[in-house]
Structures are given as structure tokens and as C-alpha cells.
Amino acid sequence: MESGKIYHVKPSLAASAAINAARHRLMSNHAVTDADGFWHEEARRLDWIRVPELAGNSSFDGDVRVSWFADGVLNVSVNCLDRHLDQHGDRVALIWQGEAEDDSRTLTYRQLHAEVCRLANALRALGIRKGDRIAIYLPMVAEGAVAMLACARIGAVHVVMFAGFSASGIADRLVDCGARLVITADAGRRGGKRVPLKACIDEALSLASTSEASAGHKVEHVLVLRLTGTEIAMQPPRDLEFAATVGQQPDQCEPEPMGGEDPLLLLYTSGSTGKPKGLLHTTAGYLLWARFTHEAVFDYKPGEVFWCTADIGWVTGHSYVVYGPLANAGTTLIFEGTPSWPEPGRWWRIIDKYQVASFYTAPTAIRSMMRDDPKFLAATSRKSLRVLGSVGEPINPEAWLWYYHDVGGERCAVVDTWWQTETGGIMIAPLPGAIAQKPGSATLPLPGVVPVLVDEKGQELSGEAEGHLCLGRSWPGQARTIWGDHARYVQTYFSTYPGYYFTGDGARRDSDGYYWITGRVDDVINVSGHRIGSAEVESALDTHDAVAEAAVIGVPHDIKGQALFAFVVLKASNGAAGIEAELARHVGQVLGRYAAPDTVLLAPELPKTRSGKIMRRILRKIATRDTAELGDTTTLADPAIVQELIKRLEARS
Ligand code: WT7
């Protein structure tokens, strides 16, 4: 099989790389033998108001503390903007390509700086201060990046929410973080259609205002950007026009001096239980990690055009659309549209149009474009590309090879990057000038990253092994806590294997020390690179009147990686016709369309142990029609259920 093949570092890439194999060895040794010294050296590449004396001060035991550069003082927006003005003020910082071909815009560092300052001044004029939370609910427009940087400038904590979340999903997050202000747009554009955003915020705010958890706290203002001319209901004095509010403000704004450990951002992500959790990233460590990893993993050279296709609502968009590229004085590309609208090949044309050097996307998108008519790819040159990145889920060797051969013309390094919202940035990945690639493997840890494989009992495994992936040491980009619930943070990440951070992923280490991520080992399902907790979808189903009980699992899917499969027990034995589709729609309304199950199977009961625990292992077998060998079913309270479910599924197809 070709997937067993090694793709050696290209001499052309190694020759110009900031990090070649020798330097990589040196850095990795330094980071192990003198971690504080190593990270201090990296920290010197940031712009400080006060240079830190302290580096790491973390403990994974007991209460768990993660702290980096706590006595340093800096401002993230200064690092991403002001610092570059002298030498690169006229360099393009941001290219925005709209969904319509002729709709595009570029902002130089000077222009971006001015826009950020104006919005930062406007926020201050509205009474926003250091530590206040600001929610951002915008489509892929330049103002998304402007809003994030404006918050960072005045020390407000931004909470970007994916524009695909539903009103109730937004409401939960607004209440949890206690946002004072929301920045949104009238509507977004997607595939030639309009996606209402302001209307969704209106609904979310009315839900939030009646939520007990809000404890009287409320959003004071909504700043509304006019993008599409969609009619919306403005509610003065709460709602304010973005242009009028920001336009009159001066284009200079005094940056807030921030402590290294002051909060920078919250990002909500799903776990195996309960509601989404707001992970907190802080100022110095997060910025350092975004800058360092962006430069190292993409061998990024200032002046090159860098394109990460992720939505800014996810962590990838934070670290590799906004903070990494801008901290490196780079040019970042933001594309509003989808890969195949108005026709396939749109992404390839954009790569040629802007001479993109690094392209970073998800396996689900790669697999879907692999299925397009090859003429669309063939119509483009893609000669500007040097590095092709993949993130979000394991990339299957077939997709890897297509990416390498067909998209990259065998000239590019393919970097499969493993990381998580919790890690702030890339943790395991091949560096283009230093590490040979194997299709399907994220390869080796970055300097200072210490992956550990443990068995079920928490015993550390050495050499070639397969087990649960943990991280043995803190790194600067690590999430510090779950907002408002440090106990949950300790419980979720540090209690399974005491002394280690547990990632929730399984992995194998081969004889070369390469890591192969095998997927989640908890009840988190990865659909098209979006993390969805089975418990979240189950609770959403439970809120439907007809539902008595539900169990949701992930099943393999050719394009999405995994798809959601829901087993639902109804309250009355006969549901109305079409209830399956209605339940899927209902989940879409409660959580957002991305979380609507592909399959809903009505079940008379769920297979449970005598103590009442749902046997998901059996549900997985049933859903994947892998029922020849069901394993031990003797602990089931009612083994007949299994045959009934198999029969029902067969009857459907
Ligand atoms: C989970 C994190 C990383 C930013 C986007 C998703 C899976 C991520 C890879 C990869 C195999 C991967 C893991 C991880 N994952 N990258 N290269 N190979 N699996 O961030 O939503 O926090 O999800 O995505 O399961 O735990 P996220």
C-alpha cells in the first residue's frame, strides 16, 4: 500500500526553511532540557510592554494550575498590528474575497490598524472595559478579524460564536459568559442565499432574558453591521448601527496593557457530557503559541499569502486566520463563500488569483472536492503553493495522496496537524523542512510538546504502542480553565489519568515514533471537523415533546468523517408519520444545522445493562450493520431489543 510510503522532506523546502532537520533536533532538545529557557527565547519574539521574568509555572496535580509569563505585560493587537507599521505598514494584512467573484477587498496593516482602533474606541465609548465579554456573531468578513483585534486592544474578552449556531445555542453561551455586547450583521451570504444573523440574535436575547441562569445580567448593546440589506428589526437604544457608531471614532487608540495571564478569549466547545464549555485562553501564552506554530508548521515567510479556510467561529480560525498570520506580519486571506459555489473549483481559482503559498483546510473538504469533476482542478495551476495543511480529523491516506499529487503537484509538503480547541494551536505535525511525512500520520510533536500514550489503567506505554493520548507537560498555548467552572476543567482533563492532560483521543505510535491519531475515545463525535457531544444532541432530542429517550452515536461517513445516528424512543409507541425528519429538524433548531442527525431510528427501547447504562458499543454495531459478532450481550437487560433494532434498520433500507 502506498500509504506505508515515506515522503521525504523536499530539498527545495529544506534549503529555504527556517527550521531544517538539524535545527529541529536542536530546538526539541533545548525545549526538553531547559523548557523555561527555550520558551523565554520564543517569548523574546513578541513585543512586550514589560518583558517577563517568569516562564512556565504549571502543575497538573490537585487543583491544576497553568501559567506562562505571568509577570509580563503586553497587548495582543499591538503585536499583530502596531509592531509591523514601521516596516510593513503598506503590506496587505488581510485579503477578503466575497462570495461574489468581483466582491473583494484588501486592508494594509495601516488600514487594518485604523479600523481596529476605531472599533476599539467605539467599544470604550460604550463603556466596555478590560475583562468584559463581547460576543461576536459574524459571517466570514473582514470585520470579524477587526472585532477580535479591537477587543484585544482594550482588554475585552472576545467570544466568537460560529454563525451556524442556533438562537438557543447562542443564548446558552451568552448567559454562560455574561456578555455585555454583541457584534453581529444583518445577515450572511451562503451559496447565493441569505442566512439571518440579527434575527437569530434577537431570538437568542429574548431567550437569554428569561433564562434563570442569567441572574439579571443582560446584553446592553448589539452592534449591527449592514452587509446584505436584509430587512431587520432594530431595537433602540439597545441596537446600534455599526457604521455610524464606529465611523466617527479616531483611528488611534491607546492599547490596554495586559498581564501575560489576563484573559484574551473564550471559545465554546463540546465535550462528552453536559453543555458546551467555555475554554479560556490567556494573553501571552496563546499569542506565543499561535505565532510560533504558524511560522514553524507552515514555514511561513512574511509576504506570502496564507489561506486557512476555517470559520473564525472555531479555534482554527482564531489561531490561523487571525492571530498566527498577523503576529507574523503575514497576509491572511478570508473567503466568505463555500468551496463549490457557484460551481466546483472555486477554492482552486482563489489560490491562483491571490497566489496563495500555504493552504490549510479540513479532510472533509478535501474528500468532497476529490469527488468533483477533475476538470475544475485541472483548469487551475496552483503553482504558488508550497505547503498544504490538514486539520480537524484524521486524514485518510487516499485523501492525503490526492491532496499531495493532484492539488500540490507533488511539489508541496502536506502537513497533517493534530491539535484541539484546548491546545490553542498545533501540537503534532511535520515541519515542512524537517520532518518526513507518512500519509495518515500527524508525525512528530512540536518542540516542547510531550505526548504520552497510556493504557486503560493509566500506565504509560513506551516505544511502539497504541493507547489514549495524553500530554505530559504544559505548553504556553494550553487553555487555562473552563469559564466559571474550574472544577469541571480539572475533572474533564486531569482526573482520568492523574498527572496528565487527557486529550480524549486515541493514538498509535509507530517504530519511528510517529503518531497516528485514531479518533475520539470518549462520546465526542467529529462531524466534518466539528466536535459534537452525543449528550448535547441527546438533550436536544429530549426537549421534543414526542421523545422519551434518545441515544446518539457517530458512524463512519465517506465525506464527513463521522455522521450522527440517533436511536429514539418515543413517548407514545406510534409516532406521527415523518417524525424522524421532524426530530432531525428539531435538533437543527436547538443546536444549529450542523448538529442535525443524518439518521433517526425509532426504537421500542434502548439496549441497556441491568443497571440502566446504555450500551453504546452495541448501538454502534447495529448502526454500522456490523452485527455478525455482537460481543457479550449477556449483561443486557433485554437482549431481544438488539434483534428488533437490527430488523427495523433493515426494513428501512
Ligand atoms: C479534535 C479537536 C484542531 C482544530 C480543529 C478542531 C480531532 C483534530 C486532527 C488531526 C486526527 C484530529 C481530534 C481532536 N483532530 N486534528 N490532524 N488528526 N484528529 O478542534 O473542535 O477542538 O477538535 O479534533 O479528535 O481531539 P476541536
Side-chain angles (χ1 to χ4, degrees):
M1 237 183 77
E2 208 187 345
S3 67
K5 213 172 127 183
I6 295 189
Y7 289 76
H8 291 287
V9 170
K10 299 199 179 306
S12 57
L13 290 175
S16 63
I19 304 177
N20 58 18
R23 170 124 181 86
H24 177 248
R25 264 192 305 276
L26 224 87
M27 290 171 81
S28 299
N29 284 338
H30 187 185
V32 169
T33 53
D34 171 21
D36 278 4
F38 180 79
W39 293 120
H40 261 308
E41 219 166 87
E42 278 306 319
R44 274 201 283 280
R45 311 215 22 209
L46 303 179
D47 190 80
W48 297 89
I49 299 166
R50 187 171 81 221
V51 176
E53 304 263 319
L54 298 169
N57 180 15
S58 307
S59 158
F60 287 180
D61 296 314
D63 261 1
V64 179
R65 175 190 65 244
V66 177
S67 169
W68 288 88
F69 314 111
D71 62 341
V73 178
L74 74 171
N75 181 283
V76 166
S77 85
V78 169
N79 274 275
C80 291
L81 299 168
D82 308 48
R83 182 159 63 124
H84 312 317
L85 291 183
D86 264 357
Q87 282 187 40
H88 309 297
D90 296 322
R91 173 180 292 168
V92 173
L94 192 154
I95 301 169
W96 176 78
Q97 173 63 53
E99 189 168 82
E101 205 91 41
D102 55 5
D103 201 5
S104 69
R105 175 183 179 202
T106 60
L107 287 163
T108 64
Y109 270 96
R110 213 178 305 287
Q111 290 165 330
L112 183 59
H113 176 264
E115 290 226 8
V116 167
C117 286
R118 269 195 278 270
L119 177 55
N121 285 324
L123 294 173
R124 272 203 183 128
L126 290 167
I128 302 299
R129 294 290 175 267
K130 176 175 172 178
D132 290 342
R133 273 81 62 208
I134 305 281
I136 299 174
Y137 187 63
L138 286 171
M140 289 294 281
V141 289
E143 285 81 358
V146 170
M148 289 161 77
L149 291 161
C151 289
R153 191 154 196 97
I154 63 170
V157 180
H158 62 66
V159 191
V160 186
M161 300 194 264
F162 175 51
F165 289 151
S166 65
S168 76
I170 301 288
D172 287 346
R173 290 164 172 87
L174 289 175
V175 169
D176 186 74
C177 74
R180 287 190 65 190
L181 185 144
V182 177
I183 303 177
T184 191
D186 50 3
R189 291 173 279 247
R190 200 159 176 86
K193 298 198 195 79
R194 299 281 162 85
V195 186
L197 296 177
K198 170 63 165 62
C200 183
I201 291 293
D202 289 342
E203 197 188 332
L205 289 179
S206 99
L207 288 170
S209 68
T210 57
S211 151
E212 274 171 34
S214 73
H217 177 97
K218 73 184 212 308
V219 168
E220 293 151 47
H221 288 293
V222 180
L223 263 187
V224 185
L225 184 67
R226 299 280 180 171
L227 281 177
T228 64
T230 303
E231 209 165 300
I232 52 171
M234 292 293 277
Q235 297 179 30
R238 185 195 74 184
D239 297 350
L240 301 163
E241 297 285 350
F242 187 96
T245 310
V246 171
Q248 303 309 309
Q249 292 290 337
D251 62 4
Q252 297 292 326
C253 172
E254 198 52 45
E256 192 75 30
M258 301 292 285
E261 279 298 333
D262 280 339
L264 172 68
L265 66 94
L266 288 180
L267 250 176
Y268 282 85
T269 191
S270 298
S272 47
T273 57
K275 288 199 168 191
K277 42 198 183 208
L279 288 160
L280 174 70
H281 284 287
T282 55
T283 300
Y286 173 83
L287 176 67
L288 182 147
W289 202 250
R291 195 214 71 74
F292 169 69
T293 55
H294 173 255
E295 182 184 60
V297 175
F298 299 96
D299 187 31
Y300 183 74
K301 310 206 186 302
E304 286 181 342
V305 178
F306 184 84
W307 184 16
C308 166
T309 65
D311 192 282
I312 56 159
W314 307 110
V315 71
T316 314
H318 284 59
S319 301
Y320 302 106
V321 175
V322 181
Y323 290 115
L326 296 178
N328 283 322
T331 300
T332 189
L333 174 68
I334 297 181
F335 175 44
E336 181 183 46
T338 52
S340 49
W341 196 86
E343 57 177 21
R346 186 77 198 276
W347 279 6
W348 315 131
R349 293 203 305 280
I350 292 175
I351 288 173
D352 281 357
K353 177 171 177 185
Y354 294 108
Q355 295 292 293
V356 172
S358 295
F359 178 67
Y360 192 27
T361 194
T364 184
I366 299 169
R367 287 191 295 263
S368 123
M369 291 183 299
M370 257 172 94
R371 283 169 170 68
D372 292 336
D373 186 329
K375 76 175 186 205
F376 294 107
L377 184 67
T380 58
S381 120
R382 291 158 275 102
K383 283 264 160 56
S384 55
L385 291 171
R386 290 198 311 123
V387 181
L388 294 170
S390 170
V391 61
E393 51 171 316
I395 179 165
N396 47 311
E398 191 197 1
W400 194 104
L401 292 168
W402 181 77
Y403 206 24
Y404 175 77
H405 289 290
D406 294 52
V407 177
E410 301 168 18
R411 293 179 312 271
C412 302
V414 171
V415 296
D416 175 4
T417 64
W418 175 86
W419 59 294
Q420 317 178 291
T421 304
E422 291 86 345
T423 70
I426 297 165
M427 301 291 280
I428 305 181
L431 310 188
I435 299 171
Q437 295 128 55
K438 298 184 192 181
S441 169
T443 77
L444 299 173
L446 263 65
V449 172
V450 183
V452 175
L453 295 181
V454 299
D455 65 15
E456 303 269 332
K457 295 195 200 76
Q459 290 299 317
E460 190 169 336
L461 304 166
S462 56
E464 260 181 271
E466 180 160 350
H468 289 183
L469 179 64
C470 296
L471 296 161
R473 254 201 209 181
S474 182
W475 62 100
Q478 183 169 19
R480 304 305 196 246
T481 191
I482 291 174
W483 185 255
D485 199 350
H486 192 67
R488 186 177 176 200
Y489 173 76
V490 176
Q491 163 69 27
T492 306
Y493 302 109
F494 303 91
S495 70
T496 320
Y497 304 114
Y500 299 114
Y501 165 87
F502 176 43
T503 64
D505 282 325
R508 182 167 69 79
R509 188 169 46 223
D510 71 15
S511 54
D512 292 324
Y514 276 40
Y515 288 87
W516 302 72
I517 309 298
T518 52
R520 302 290 302 197
V521 295
D522 54 10
D523 290 322
V524 169
I525 304 165
N526 189 326
V527 180
S528 300
H530 298 325
R531 218 159 115 177
I532 302 172
S534 50
E536 246 179 297
V537 185
E538 287 159 10
S539 329
L541 283 164
D542 287 343
T543 64
H544 191 284
D545 282 344
V547 174
E549 195 181 14
V552 175
I553 54 157
V555 294
H557 185 280
D558 278 354
I559 292 183
K560 299 197 258 190
Q562 284 188 296
L564 299 174
F565 191 119
F567 292 85
V568 176
V569 182
L570 296 179
K571 279 181 185 152
S573 51
N574 305 317
I579 183 80
E580 291 96 336
E582 162 161 346
L583 291 175
R585 257 197 317 276
H586 176 73
V587 175
Q589 272 157 18
V590 177
L591 296 175
R593 277 224 312 270
Y594 72 104
D598 276 36
T599 313
V600 174
L601 185 71
L602 299 182
E605 256 181 77
L606 298 173
K608 288 185 184 168
T609 61
R610 274 179 223 114
S611 59
K613 196 170 173 327
I614 296 171
M615 291 188 79
R616 290 172 191 276
R617 180 178 62 78
I618 304 265
L619 291 178
R620 273 185 210 108
K621 293 241 171 197
I622 296 171
T624 53
R625 295 176 161 85
D626 172 25
T627 47
E629 192 48 72
L630 278 173
D632 184 11
T633 56
T634 54
T635 56
L636 278 175
D638 179 5
I641 289 298
V642 176
Q643 292 311 319
E644 173 63 22
L645 289 176
I646 294 173
K647 216 171 74 197
R648 288 195 180 193
L649 188 57
E650 267 166 15
R652 282 185 35 155
S653 42

